[in-house]
Structures are given as structure tokens and as C-alpha cells.
Amino acid sequence: MHKLLIRLCLFTALLSLTSCGFHLRGNQVLPPSVNFVAMASTQAHSPLARALKKRLKVYSIEAGTVAESPSMNTSVLINIEPEKLERRLLSLFASGQVAEYELIYGVGYTVTFPDKEPIKAYFEVLRDYQDDPEQVLAKSRELELIVSEMRDEAADKIIRRLTTQASQSTPEL
């Protein structure tokens, strides 16, 4: 009787989650006609392109350069624009030195699906960064780590947008 009650509760929970439209993030896939994501970048060996290729592997999506693409009829092309990293002053120490920055990592890219018009997109990833003039070496390493995390977040965001744009660009049957 106890096992039956547990199964009934689990079934009810699953039924309510599916009926409300809940979907796990990242469970969308590219259309079956697309089997490769080709990447191009204006900067040779762009750090964002490397991060995007690494993240695409996590999502089990095959990726590479345009030259490695098996066919442009079955490939999505992502053209990555140069990344932008800006700092905005947030606060100062009493001495007048900068205490805190807001880091703004800007990403622009263009996605082209087979036989479709290119879709241009831009977004920003924001982080706060506290500066300490007495720990310059440690803070420079921390800045590198923060920027790397921002790149990974940007790559994940591009992939999420890619799956959304893929569903919007394919006609409903």
C-alpha cells in the first residue's frame, strides 16, 4: 500500500509538471535536417569561438570551422563578431581609488540557417568586480577567471538562442 501511495504521488507530480508546460532548460535540439554547426570569426582563434565549440560538445552538437562543414545545406553558420569587454565605475575608496567595477562583456553574432535569411543578435553579460590595489597579482588572475566564466555563459546563451531561433525559422507543418 505504501509503494502504491508513493507511485501515485510521483505520477501526480509528473502530470502536473508536464501539464503546466514545464521543460528542462537545454532539452531543445536543432532540427533533424541540421547536423553540423559551422563557426566563423573575424579574430583568428577567438576565445569565444573556442568556448562555444567546447560548450556545443557538452550539448552533443557537432561543430567546427566552415572548411570542416560537410555541406552548407545541412549546416548552421554562426559568424562571431569581436567580443567587447568594458568596465564601468561603480564605487571608490575614500582615497579616491577605484573600489568596484561593473564588467560588461558584449557579444555579437549572426546565425544563418540553411536556405534562410541571416539572424543578427547582440547581448551583454554583466558582473561586478571588486578591485584591491594592494593585491594586484591576485586580482588580475581573478579578472581572467571572471572573463572566462562570462565567455562560458555567453556560449551557453548563444546555444539556447540558437535552438530557439531554429524552432522559429522552421515552418510549422
Side-chain angles (χ1 to χ4, degrees):
M1 185 68 172
H2 182 66
K3 287 183 180 181
L4 181 62
L5 185 59
I6 291 174
R7 287 181 182 170
L8 183 61
C9 288
L10 283 174
F11 178 74
T12 305
L14 285 174
L15 185 63
S16 64
L17 277 177
T18 56
S19 66
C20 75
F22 174 79
H23 294 287
L24 289 174
R25 179 183 268 185
N27 71 344
Q28 297 175 339
V29 293
L30 293 175
S33 61
V34 176
N35 59 10
F36 189 83
V37 175
M39 291 183 291
S41 177
T42 54
Q43 297 175 329
H45 309 293
S46 162
L48 179 59
R50 286 194 309 262
L52 183 58
K53 188 172 183 178
K54 182 175 74 172
R55 298 305 296 166
L56 283 167
K57 278 185 183 178
V58 170
Y59 290 97
S60 301
I61 300 172
E62 191 176 341
T65 63
V66 176
E68 298 168 344
S69 175
S71 165
M72 288 314 290
N73 293 332
T74 60
S75 298
V76 173
L77 173 64
I78 301 176
N79 188 6
I80 301 170
E81 297 171 10
E83 58 192 12
K84 299 174 187 170
L85 182 64
E86 299 174 4
R87 295 190 299 185
R88 184 178 4 203
L89 178 68
L90 290 180
S91 64
L92 298 172
F93 288 119
S95 64
Q97 292 179 313
V98 176
E100 189 176 17
Y101 289 107
E102 180 178 49
L103 298 174
I104 305 165
Y105 182 76
V107 176
Y109 65 97
T110 305
V111 177
T112 307
F113 291 94
D115 303 323
K116 304 288 180 196
E117 291 293 316
I119 302 169
K120 199 167 184 61
Y122 179 84
F123 64 89
E124 293 176 341
V125 178
L126 306 174
R127 290 283 189 285
D128 288 348
Y129 171 71
Q130 295 180 347
D131 199 10
D132 186 355
E134 295 181 17
Q135 297 180 353
V136 175
L137 190 57
K139 285 299 184 174
S140 66
R141 178 67 181 134
E142 181 184 355
L143 180 60
E144 289 173 16
L145 289 172
I146 290 172
V147 171
S148 176
E149 289 173 1
M150 291 170 82
R151 272 192 198 104
D152 288 344
E153 184 179 331
D156 282 337
K157 196 168 194 171
I158 289 172
I159 293 169
R160 285 192 306 271
R161 286 183 168 193
L162 182 66
T163 58
T164 303
Q165 291 164 339
S167 65
Q168 291 173 352
S169 71
T170 55
E172 296 289 327
L173 295 176

